[in-house]
Amino acid sequence: MNQKLTAVEYNAYVGKLGDPDLKDITAYQKLIGKLLYSTIIRPNISFAVQTLSQFMQIPKQSHMDAALRVVKYIKMSTRSRNWAACPNTRRSVTGYIVKLGSSLISWKSKKQQTVSRSSAAVEYRSMVAVTAEVLGYQDF
């Protein structure tokens, strides 16, 4: 987050040193390919993966480090996910907070009404719930 990734050409233009090119770019390309595939069920990583995919031709060490941080994020968020959180009903938990600036406006955490077959379905149901909350719909 908040890391500025730059191309090799830009670094050469501004004279920035200390970020070496990757020796084996195929490892980076394979990792980004796998992450691109993962965005189908993990839409929350789409922006980061799209940004990293812009450096496929000449990746630098900072690009690989950022890609590995995305992998670490996926591993950490998978442990705490709420998909099929209840062992009895297999229903997922929707949780969100709504803030305006630094002020908390609303928050909610509850079991979803239906059993989802994938984490993507869980995330879409959660997005619908928070959108309904922001728009002021009741009991959506």
Side-chain angles (χ1 to χ4, degrees), residues 34-50 69-83 118-124 127:
K34 291 174 183 177
L35 288 172
L36 282 167
Y37 183 74
S38 297
T39 61
I40 296 169
I41 59 169
R42 298 294 304 262
N44 56 328
I45 64 169
S46 295
F47 179 77
V49 174
Q50 179 270 331
R69 277 197 305 278
V70 172
V71 172
K72 184 177 179 182
Y73 167 77
I74 291 170
K75 284 184 176 183
M76 295 303 292
S77 65
T78 302
R79 290 184 191 143
S80 63
R81 72 178 179 197
N82 287 320
W83 177 40
S118 71
S119 61
V122 171
E123 291 180 16
Y124 287 125
M127 286 189 280

Side-chain angles (χ1 to χ4, degrees), residues 97-107:
I97 64 169
V98 178
K99 294 175 85 176
L100 180 61
S102 61
S103 301
L104 182 64
I105 295 174
S106 175
W107 68 92

Side-chain angles (χ1 to χ4, degrees), residues 2-130:
N2 297 328
Q3 181 181 4
K4 305 289 189 243
L5 297 173
T6 57
V8 172
E9 295 87 11
Y10 176 80
N11 287 358
Y13 179 75
V14 297
K16 182 179 177 185
L17 302 173
D19 191 5
D21 297 349
L22 281 180
K23 302 294 183 223
D24 180 23
I25 67 170
T26 58
Y28 180 79
Q29 292 170 340
K30 286 180 183 180
L31 177 58
I32 296 302
K34 291 174 183 177
L35 288 172
L36 282 167
Y37 183 74
S38 297
T39 61
I40 296 169
I41 59 169
R42 298 294 304 262
N44 56 328
I45 64 169
S46 295
F47 179 77
V49 174
Q50 179 270 331
T51 301
L52 291 168
S53 69
Q54 296 177 15
F55 305 104
M56 295 280 276
Q57 298 302 315
I58 310 173
K60 300 184 300 182
Q61 186 60 46
S62 61
H63 302 140
M64 180 59 107
D65 294 342
L68 292 174
R69 277 197 305 278
V70 172
V71 172
K72 184 177 179 182
Y73 167 77
I74 291 170
K75 284 184 176 183
M76 295 303 292
S77 65
T78 302
R79 290 184 191 143
S80 63
R81 72 178 179 197
N82 287 320
W83 177 40
C86 179
N88 297 322
T89 63
R90 305 300 296 162
R91 291 191 296 168
S92 303
V93 175
T94 292
Y96 60 84
I97 64 169
V98 178
K99 294 175 85 176
L100 180 61
S102 61
S103 301
L104 182 64
I105 295 174
S106 175
W107 68 92
K108 190 173 198 173
S109 177
K110 70 178 240 176
K111 284 186 187 176
Q112 292 184 354
Q113 294 179 354
T114 59
V115 176
S116 299
R117 294 182 149 210
S118 71
S119 61
V122 171
E123 291 180 16
Y124 287 125
R125 281 194 174 101
S126 294
M127 286 189 280
V128 168
V130 74

